[in-house]
Amino acid sequence: MLELRPSCENCNKPLPPHATDAMICSFECTFCSDCVSLLGNTCPNCGGGFVPRPIRPVTNWKGDNYLGHDRPSSFAPWIGRRISICCYACRGYHQNNVE
């Protein structure tokens, strides 16, 4: 299940679960659409592209698969860091392999 990280890793803009401008890469690195444009649609952590982050339903439509049951992440390890430092999802790979 996606973490639904709470803010952009670059500008720290709040990205609540219903945000339509939240973008993620395949490692769930999370950026706002403005920063994705500035980055040329290339994740600075893993080099992958971005797609719009899905919106988790607020209403319990089927089998407790909604925000009330599965809360978004409140952990934001990238706050206060520059985007050249690895995001949590990459588990330090890029931090340890800086050129």
Side-chain angles (χ1 to χ4, degrees), residues 19-90:
T20 57
D21 62 336
M23 306 289 282
I24 59 172
C25 73
S26 62
F27 286 98
E28 294 185 47
C29 301
T30 304
F31 293 85
C32 67
S33 58
D34 292 336
C35 289
V36 166
S37 295
L38 292 173
L39 294 168
N41 197 37
T42 302
C43 180
N45 300 316
C46 67
F50 290 97
V51 296
R53 183 181 72 187
I55 296 174
R56 191 165 297 157
V58 176
T59 305
N60 185 11
W61 294 109
K62 185 175 181 180
D64 287 336
N65 194 14
Y66 71 112
L67 275 174
H69 187 263
D70 294 307
R71 299 264 181 225
S73 175
S74 60
F75 179 60
W78 53 84
I79 292 176
R81 297 182 181 179
R82 297 193 176 275
I83 58 173
S84 60
I85 296 176
C86 183
C87 71
Y88 173 74
C90 297

